[in-house]
């Protein structure tokens, strides 16, 4: 098939960017979206032109490195997958696709489709852990965990930190990401001692990074490649409320 | 050079404890005066950096991804072994030790493996305390599954995302230390060289992948936890950025590279569908419990609809050749047989470069026997993944699978303390050669990475630092740093100035094809000799005709790839040389000249019961081989058989 791409090209963080049109022919339905870009990049490279920059690594939907907007939708048209798992059979001959980086104040563009998501790391550093030193852990089966809680904690922990939730949110809020970590640890007995502080500190960091506020659009859940539920946001809000009450008491 | 593994003597059960007691400690008040550089934030690196930070050392951690959480460990699916014996099915530290030595085809150090088995139980405690959401039973206790190469259920798992959850646990411990100020994290930073001064590892040279800036880092110890080199084959199940650069550069600075030819092939991956393919995806081995592997009896039927072929037109070759193990033969045996039937022209699926390289994995009979819903409950997520990638429905059409490179057992040589022959250079996780011999058992890499990072390296590094002391006057202005940085810069400029006609990846693919053909699932003297001629030619063309566009200011992904491919183009030769030198078959290394009458791998313990460690002598010069003899006191050497 033949695909026409409008790709956001920006040579550096301070440069002005613009869309550039590329015609890619010989696209095979079995190619992934990123392999199609590889083919285009190979052509550009052999001509001495700069290839399109995009983050990627595992190419199986688990590392969270990849991600950009395809025709305005974070990670493209298919549900619950990342761009690296999107295959060209989702499109048809002659389609025109617009590829654009995540747009959010807290995620500055570095080059082309690549953005800086280090704000997510700083949110985790603010409290996304259980304070347990190596070697100080008790015997693993000493604390049974209710299976339903363990399973729900797993679902929250499945977040890959890709940033699509922020990109899709009209306010560029990071609530889905942050609430996933707060809920994962808050659902487990190991996470209880620091539960209040964790929620308060992580949310404070989130605000400091310049992410917007949640106004319940739910766009985040719709694009999340791991199907993280907005119910975790409600859960975090409850935690925040009780933590605030307790801390002012 | 004589290679001393420095293993403690005496009874194996208490060796590690006694060794730990004999190690020196650093006074807590002095710890922050020591700089420890940890390259890599996968399971091994993140665990080590976090633990060293907790102890109060001044740690710098580096990774090439934009976040420490994205290291390739994140992709591990199946699980992690530990000798907890929660299932009361007869497991013990000794049994895990025994299974690992045997699984490695008797090419690992007994004492290292025993320590690994001992520590395995602490890892699970640590991970659970961090909040790793392992699978649980209804009673709230941890669940286990069984995995290849073991008769007990000792594998802990978190659905199909065990690596992800363990890495996020280690990443959380690391993040806590970043907040505490003991660890400084440098993401999007690639190590380009190791700096050795007076025989000691004293620092590294890095390139900032966002700005292109080259930087020098001075350390009292350097830890490499940079993962495996499977991407030398271009197509593998590894992440795209996995590379040999850090360990290979250390090799060029004098660190010995051990057993580079030991690579593991995974039998059940989704086959290559076209020349554009960038990586291969693993499908869990558990599929072989219910799927039947076959190809058409006649090559003429290769393109026919598989469902139209009658029973007597099919060759269930594993069931035919291995009546007692059938479809469940070990990874290496299943892989080689798939290659053989495809070599005979009976492969199926897409034709790529004139060959069909896939076999069927058929669930028709299993669905008939237990029903579609049972199969769906067992493998639903895998079938879903297969459909997403191939666009086919495996409930109706047999899956197509083919082996792919998955793991590399070889790596930098280390002693019992995980220190290489260069003083102060520690190597952890998949990057070292230590515990898996010639073949790794499923669910044992995660165990080893975390054992190295949380429990083995912190005390051995502390011991080293206590012995060498602090206060040496070296800083980044030292001549050795200037030279190394200058060389790194020259190489970058050289790559940028070639401006030839071929894209970087085209060379990587070309090298990968040679490696896969000649140094892949089965190897011969002739083939390896041919590869040893071919690789220098590809390398020469690379340095004349590659095109690396752009400059060294800011993000330049072509330049990143070019540097890694340049190292693979040298490293591939070392692998082939090691494979040629080892004229026996063992584990993942199959030399066609060394097989039993039935075509099974045949070890030669009289001549090859050793670790082969190579010393660099120059790019176009043959490296020197050093041998470390392997002694087996606790496990008896026997020939494997799966008939
Ligand atoms: C698909 C798949 C499934 C697997 N499933 C299992 C399983 O179920 N059970 C099991 O036990 N094992 C499994 N394995 C193997 C296991 O995942 C790996 O062996 C293990 O995670 C390696 O961990 P590591 O810490 O050594 O390295 P990695 O996790 O590979 O980390 C390497 C780190 O080094 C950094 N790095 C590399 N080069 C440089 C450089 N030049 N400069 C700076 N930084 C650098 C990277 O950024 C990264 O942080 C699987 C492997 C694959 C590919
Ligand atoms: S919540 Fe979903 S969309 Fe947001 S970072 Fe996590 S995986 Fe990505
Ligand atoms: S590249 Fe890892 S999730 Fe897409």
């Amino acid at each position: 098939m033949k695909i026409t791409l409008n790709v956001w090209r920006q040579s550096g963080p301070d440069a002005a960017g613009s869309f550039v049109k590329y015609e890619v022919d010989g696209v095979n339905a079995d190619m992934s979206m990123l392999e199609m870009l590889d083919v285009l990049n190979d052509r550009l490279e052999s001509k001495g032109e700069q290839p399109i920059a995009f983050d990627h690594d595992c190419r199986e939907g688990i590392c969270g490195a990849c991600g950009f907007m395809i025709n305005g939708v974070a990670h493209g048209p298919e549900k619950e997958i990342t761009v690296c798992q999107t295959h060209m059979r989702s499109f048809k001959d002659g389609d025109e696709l617009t590829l654009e980086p995540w747009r959010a104040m807290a995620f500055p563009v570095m080059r082309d489709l690549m953005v800086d998501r280090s704000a997510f790391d700083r949110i985790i550093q603010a409290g996304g852990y259980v304070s347990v030193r190596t070697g100080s852990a008790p015997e693993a089966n000493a604390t049974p965990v209710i299976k339903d809680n363990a399973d729900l904690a797993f679902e929250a922990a499945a977040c890959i930190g890709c940033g699509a939730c922020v990109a899709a949110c009209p306010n560029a809020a990071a609530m889905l990401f942050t609430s996933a970590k707060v809920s994962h640890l808050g659902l487990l007995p190991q996470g209880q001692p620091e539960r209040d502080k964790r929620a308060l500190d992580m949310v404070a960091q989130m605000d400091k990074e310049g992410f917007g506020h949640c106004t319940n659009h739910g766009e985040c859940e719709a694009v999340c490649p791991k199907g993280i539920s907005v119910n975790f946001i409600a859960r975090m809000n409850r935690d925040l409320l009780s933590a605030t009450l307790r801390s002012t008491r | 050079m004589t290679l001393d593994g420095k293993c403690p003597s005496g009874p194996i059960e208490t060796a590690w404890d006694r060794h730990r007691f004999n190690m020196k400690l650093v006074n807590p008040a002095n710890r922050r005066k020591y700089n420890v550089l940890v390259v890599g934030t996968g399971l091994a690196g993140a665990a080590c950096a976090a633990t060293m930070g907790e102890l109060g050392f001044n740690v710098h951690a580096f990774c090439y991804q934009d976040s420490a959480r994205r290291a390739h460990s994140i992709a591990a699916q199946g699980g992690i072994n530990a000798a907890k014996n929660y299932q009361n099915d007869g497991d013990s530290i000794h049994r895990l030790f025994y299974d690992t030595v045997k699984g490695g085809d008797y090419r690992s150090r007994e004492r290292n493996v025993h320590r690994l088995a001992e520590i395995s139980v602490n890892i699970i405690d640590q991970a659970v305390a961090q909040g790793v959401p392992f699978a649980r039973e209804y009673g709230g206790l941890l669940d286990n599954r069984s995995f290849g190469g073991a008769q007990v259920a000792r594998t802990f798992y978190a659905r199909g995302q065990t690596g992800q959850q363990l890495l996020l646990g280690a990443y959380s411990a690391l993040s806590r230390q970043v907040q505490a100020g003991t660890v400084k994290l440098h993401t999007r930073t690639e190590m380009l060289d190791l700096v050795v001064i007076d025989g000691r590892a004293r620092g590294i040279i890095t390139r900032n992948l966002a700005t292109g800036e080259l930087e020098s880092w001075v350390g009292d110890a350097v830890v490499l936890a940079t993962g495996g080199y499977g991407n030398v084959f271009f197509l593998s199940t590894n992440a795209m950025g996995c590379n040999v650069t850090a360990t290979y550069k250390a090799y060029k600075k004098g660190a010995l590279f051990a057993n580079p030819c030991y690579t593991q092939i995974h039998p059940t991956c989704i086959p290559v569908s076209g020349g554009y393919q960038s990586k291969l995806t693993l499908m869990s081995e558990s599929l072989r419990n219910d799927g039947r592997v076959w190809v058409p009896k006649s090559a003429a039927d290769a393109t026919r609809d598989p469902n139209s072929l009658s029973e007597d037109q099919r060759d269930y070759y594993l069931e035919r050749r291995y009546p007692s193990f059938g479809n469940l033969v070990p990874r290496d045996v299943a892989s080689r047989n798939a290659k053989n039937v495809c070599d005979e022209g009976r492969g199926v699926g897409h034709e790529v470069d004139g060959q069909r390289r896939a076999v069927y994995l058929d669930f028709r009979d299993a669905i008939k026997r237990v029903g579609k819903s049972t199969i769906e409950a067992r493998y639903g997520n895998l079938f879903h993944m297969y459909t997403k990638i191939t666009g086919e429905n495996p409930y109706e059409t047999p899956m197509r699978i083919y082996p792919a490179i998955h793991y590399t057992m070889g790596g930098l040589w280390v002693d019992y303390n995980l220190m290489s022959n260069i003083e102060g250079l520690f190597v952890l996780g998949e990057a070292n050669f230590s515990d898996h011999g010639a073949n790794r058992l499923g669910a044992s890499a995660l165990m080893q990475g975390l054992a190295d990072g949380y429990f083995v390296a912190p005390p051995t590094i502390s011991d080293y630092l206590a012995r060498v002391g602090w206060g040496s006057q070296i800083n980044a202005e030292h001549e050795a740093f200037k030279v190394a940085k200058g060389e790194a810069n020259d190489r970058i400029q050289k790559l940028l100035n070639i401006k030839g006609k071929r894209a970087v990846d085209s060379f990587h693919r070309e090298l990968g094809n040679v490696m896969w053909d000649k140094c892949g699932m089965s190897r011969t003297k002739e083939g390896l000799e041919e590869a040893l001629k071919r690789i220098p030619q590809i390398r020469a063309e690379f340095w004349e005709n590659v095109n690396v566009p752009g400059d060294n200011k800011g993000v330049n992904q072509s330049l990143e790839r070019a540097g890694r491919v340049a190292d693979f183009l040298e490293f591939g030769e070392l692998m082939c040389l090691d494979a040629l030198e080892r004229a026996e078959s063992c584990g993942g290394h199959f030399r066609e000249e060394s097989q039993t009458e039935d075509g099974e791998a045949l070890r030669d313990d009289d001549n090859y019961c050793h670790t082969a460690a190579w010393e660099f002598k120059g790019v176009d010069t043959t490296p020197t081989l050093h041998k470390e003899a392997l002694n087996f006191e606790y496990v008896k050497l026997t020939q494997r058989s799966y008939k």
Side-chain angles (χ1 to χ4, degrees):
Chain A
M1 357 182 223
K2 183 170 165 186
I3 301 282
T4 303
L5 297 177
N6 292 303
V7 185
W8 182 260
R9 301 297 314 251
Q10 179 175 335
S11 63
D14 304 320
S18 62
F19 284 103
V20 177
K21 200 184 240 348
Y22 299 94
E23 308 278 349
V24 192
D25 39 29
V27 173
N28 182 316
D30 288 330
M31 280 178 182
S32 71
M33 170 61 79
L34 300 188
E35 284 169 345
M36 189 265 301
L37 287 179
D38 289 343
V39 169
L40 171 59
N41 276 345
D42 247 34
R43 288 178 202 164
L44 296 176
E45 237 177 55
S46 358
K47 287 191 288 183
E49 286 174 42
Q50 293 256 41
I52 299 159
F54 56 89
D55 269 316
H56 66 105
D57 206 19
C58 73
R59 297 209 175 182
E60 43 188 76
I62 193 73
C63 76
C66 70
F68 45 76
M69 311 294 274
I70 305 175
N71 289 344
V73 181
H75 287 307
E78 305 283 339
K79 289 276 163 236
E80 296 202 8
I81 56 174
T82 52
V83 291
C84 64
Q85 295 171 295
T86 302
H87 280 73
M88 295 312 290
R89 70 180 75 88
S90 302
F91 308 100
K92 52 182 198 311
D93 187 31
D95 272 359
E96 188 159 337
L97 307 178
T98 299
L99 310 186
E100 216 183 333
W102 293 163
R103 302 279 186 199
M105 201 172 74
F107 288 167
V109 175
M110 297 175 64
R111 183 182 189 103
D112 302 340
L113 303 176
M114 187 187 259
V115 300
D116 177 355
R117 285 168 294 194
S118 53
F120 269 10
D121 282 332
R122 290 188 292 272
I123 293 176
I124 299 293
Q125 286 156 13
Y129 39 75
V130 173
S131 298
V132 50
R133 241 185 351 268
T134 301
S136 64
E139 154 56 41
N141 259 353
T143 317
V145 181
I146 296 168
K147 185 170 162 52
D148 287 347
N149 286 355
D151 288 349
L152 195 57
F154 174 88
E155 271 165 38
C159 161
I160 58 175
C162 63
C165 46
V166 175
C169 175
N171 309 325
M175 289 293 272
L176 196 61
F177 169 81
T178 309
S179 70
K181 188 49 65 184
V182 166
S183 303
H184 157 212
L185 296 174
L187 276 158
L188 295 172
Q190 290 80 4
Q192 297 315 309
E194 294 165 296
R195 185 168 169 179
D196 286 1
K197 185 167 160 40
R198 177 180 308 117
L200 292 169
D201 289 352
M202 287 178 74
V203 168
Q205 187 66 34
M206 189 180 84
D207 293 341
K208 201 166 131 194
E209 296 290 345
F211 289 104
H213 289 277
C214 177
T215 44
N216 298 318
H217 285 267
E219 302 284 345
C220 50
E221 182 187 270
V223 299
C224 174
K226 296 293 133 178
I228 307 286
S229 157
V230 287
N231 293 340
F232 291 124
I233 297 183
R235 186 177 275 279
M236 178 167 84
N237 284 335
R238 284 200 301 275
D239 273 16
L240 266 180
L241 189 64
S242 48
T244 315
L245 288 175
R246 270 195 288 270
S247 68
T248 51
R249 222 187 277 155
Chain B
M1 192 183 308
T2 44
L3 285 182
D4 181 2
K6 300 213 177 89
C7 291
S9 54
I12 200 167
E13 293 80 7
T14 53
W16 172 234
D17 270 351
R18 281 179 287 114
H19 187 68
R20 261 196 311 178
F21 180 73
N22 290 331
M23 286 194 280
K24 280 196 156 56
L25 303 172
V26 179
N27 180 324
N30 286 338
R31 289 183 194 153
R32 68 191 147 74
K33 296 175 184 156
Y34 290 96
N35 277 327
V36 179
L37 310 179
V38 182
V39 190
T41 62
L43 288 178
C48 176
T51 306
M52 293 303 283
E54 285 166 11
L55 288 169
F57 292 98
N58 192 28
V59 180
H60 288 271
F62 304 84
C63 68
Y64 70 74
Q65 292 92 346
D66 69 322
S67 167
R69 65 182 289 154
R70 307 203 204 283
H72 173 58
S73 295
I74 201 95
Q77 304 172 351
I80 177 167
N81 288 331
K84 281 282 196 189
N85 193 27
Y86 283 162
Q87 305 302 321
N88 194 27
D89 55 0
D91 199 12
S92 63
I93 287 170
H94 193 81
R95 188 177 294 277
L96 175 54
F97 157 69
Y98 176 86
D99 286 348
T100 307
V101 172
K102 178 180 172 215
D105 219 358
Y106 311 93
R107 290 292 175 264
S108 52
R109 260 190 221 132
E110 275 190 337
R111 276 159 203 265
N112 281 60
V113 177
H114 199 279
R115 173 178 64 191
L116 177 64
E118 288 167 45
I119 290 174
S120 68
V121 298
N122 305 110
I123 296 172
I124 302 304
D125 297 343
Q126 190 65 34
V128 166
Q130 289 168 343
V132 170
F134 282 125
R136 288 181 182 268
E137 297 165 346
Y138 281 99
L141 301 180
L142 293 161
D143 191 19
N144 294 111
R145 56 164 67 144
S146 51
F147 230 76
Q151 287 161 309
V152 293
R154 62 161 76 100
T155 305
F156 293 78
Y157 65 101
R159 283 198 209 156
Q161 283 144 262
T162 317
Q164 180 198 28
Q165 294 309 318
L166 288 169
L167 183 63
L168 292 180
Y171 163 77
S172 74
L174 184 68
S175 299
R176 177 169 162 253
Q177 292 311 303
V178 172
Q179 190 74 354
T182 60
V183 176
K184 311 239 168 8
L185 195 53
H186 308 278
T187 58
R188 292 199 198 269
T189 305
E190 180 160 2
M191 168 177 161
L192 295 184
D193 208 354
L194 175 74
V195 179
V196 180
I197 299 174
D198 298 332
R200 278 182 62 193
R202 290 313 307 266
I204 59 171
I205 306 294
T206 60
R207 178 170 180 271
N208 180 321
L209 302 181
T211 64
E213 191 192 350
L214 294 181
E215 285 173 281
S216 301
W217 303 91
V218 183
D220 296 283
V222 176
V223 180
L224 300 186
T226 49
Y229 50 83
N231 275 352
V232 67
F233 292 91
F234 185 70
L235 288 180
S236 82
T237 62
N238 286 8
M240 300 299 287
C242 290
N243 66 88
V244 77
T245 295
T247 48
Y248 191 73
K249 289 295 171 48
Y251 164 73
K252 286 178 102 169
K253 285 290 169 79
L256 302 181
F257 212 109
N259 303 331
C261 80
Y262 289 168
T263 51
Q264 184 169 76
I265 312 244
H266 199 288
T268 49
C269 300
I270 300 180
V272 176
S273 61
Y276 50 79
Q277 189 115 8
S278 60
K279 78 154 281 172
L280 297 171
T281 303
L282 182 120
M283 302 286 288
S284 169
E285 253 173 312
S286 60
L287 290 170
R288 287 197 282 146
N289 285 316
D290 284 304
R292 295 180 73 193
V293 177
W294 65 276
V295 289
K297 274 192 183 144
S298 152
D301 291 336
T303 49
R304 284 181 54 194
D305 171 9
N307 287 328
S308 74
L309 294 180
S310 65
E311 231 19 41
D312 58 347
Q313 290 172 309
R314 301 171 173 210
D315 177 11
Y316 296 92
Y317 57 90
L318 290 177
E319 297 170 24
R320 173 169 60 78
R321 294 200 58 198
Y322 307 92
S324 60
F325 273 72
N327 294 299
L328 290 174
V329 290
R331 288 180 178 179
D332 52 338
V333 179
S335 300
R336 266 196 308 278
N337 277 280
K339 176 181 189 298
N340 292 344
V341 295
C342 293
D343 285 348
E344 290 164 14
R346 296 193 287 148
V348 298
H350 295 285
E351 190 174 301
V352 182
D353 298 333
Q355 285 181 315
R356 292 178 206 284
R357 296 228 155 257
V359 300
Y360 292 125
L361 179 63
D362 199 338
F363 291 85
R364 184 192 65 182
D365 296 348
I367 290 172
K368 239 185 257 163
R369 195 178 65 243
V370 296
K372 186 179 166 195
S373 59
T374 308
I375 293 299
E376 193 169 351
R378 283 184 194 158
Y379 311 110
N381 59 338
L382 294 169
F383 278 37
H384 182 60
M385 177 164 93
Y386 182 86
T387 305
K388 262 191 304 205
I389 294 178
T390 63
E392 285 177 15
N393 177 357
Y395 294 101
E396 276 152 27
T397 315
M399 277 186 180
R400 280 176 286 108
I401 54 160
Y402 200 64
I405 290 289
H406 177 56
Y407 183 85
T408 55
M409 282 75 69
L412 290 182
W413 182 89
V414 287
D415 63 16
Y416 187 74
N417 295 313
L418 303 184
M419 187 159 87
S420 89
N421 56 304
I422 297 180
E423 289 274 298
L425 178 67
F426 292 80
V427 192
L428 277 50
E430 194 173 338
N432 72 23
F433 89 110
S434 70
D435 297 350
H436 307 294
N439 177 49
R440 174 179 70 77
L441 291 183
S444 285
L446 302 181
M447 170 174 74
Q448 182 225 333
L450 290 177
D452 288 2
Y454 284 131
F455 298 105
V456 181
T460 63
I461 297 171
S462 304
D463 173 59
Y464 168 76
L465 294 173
R467 283 188 290 110
V468 295
W470 53 278
S472 62
Q473 293 305 307
I474 285 172
N475 60 33
E477 296 308 305
H478 189 285
E479 194 54 27
F481 278 95
K482 284 193 190 155
V483 170
K485 200 169 168 180
E487 282 171 3
N489 189 48
D490 290 349
R491 191 163 104 140
I492 288 171
Q493 294 311 327
K494 195 170 157 192
L495 285 168
L496 289 168
N497 288 335
I498 300 169
K499 296 279 179 269
K501 295 209 159 47
R502 279 179 63 182
V504 176
D505 277 0
S506 74
F507 289 96
H508 197 173
R509 276 177 207 276
E510 193 178 350
L511 171 71
N513 283 338
V514 172
M515 296 304 294
W516 183 236
D517 274 356
K518 311 293 180 200
C519 197
M521 270 185 280
S522 69
R523 301 148 178 196
T524 63
K525 179 166 180 288
E526 291 69 45
L528 291 164
E529 282 169 350
E530 212 180 302
L532 286 168
K533 279 205 206 91
R534 196 63 204 105
I535 297 167
Q537 292 166 354
I538 304 173
R539 187 165 69 228
E541 199 199 332
F542 172 87
W543 283 105
E544 274 163 23
N545 200 20
V546 73
N547 198 335
V548 184
D551 53 31
N552 189 27
K553 299 184 197 80
V555 176
N556 186 340
Q557 293 181 315
S558 312
L559 181 60
E560 292 166 29
R561 278 184 286 121
R564 294 171 194 156
V565 172
D567 292 327
F568 279 134
L569 282 167
E570 292 178 19
F571 176 73
E573 221 180 319
L574 180 66
M575 266 180 78
C576 292
L577 187 66
D578 186 46
L580 181 64
E581 177 67 28
R582 189 170 285 277
E584 65 162 350
S585 296
C586 62
H589 170 64
F590 187 77
R591 279 288 297 267
E592 287 181 20
E593 300 90 336
S594 180
Q595 46 181 310
T596 63
E597 273 170 25
D598 315 324
E600 302 305 331
L602 182 66
R603 275 200 334 266
D604 174 358
D605 292 329
D606 292 338
N607 293 303
Y608 294 99
C609 196
H610 62 246
T611 295
W614 296 89
E615 183 185 359
F616 181 73
K617 290 288 172 188
V619 174
D620 292 307
T621 314
T622 309
T624 308
L625 172 62
H626 302 275
K627 294 176 185 174
E628 182 195 340
L630 296 168
N631 303 311
F632 293 90
E633 297 170 62
Y634 294 84
V635 183
K636 228 175 91 215
L637 280 80
T638 50
Q639 188 71 33
R640 298 189 308 166
S641 167
Y642 298 97
K643 287 278 167 184

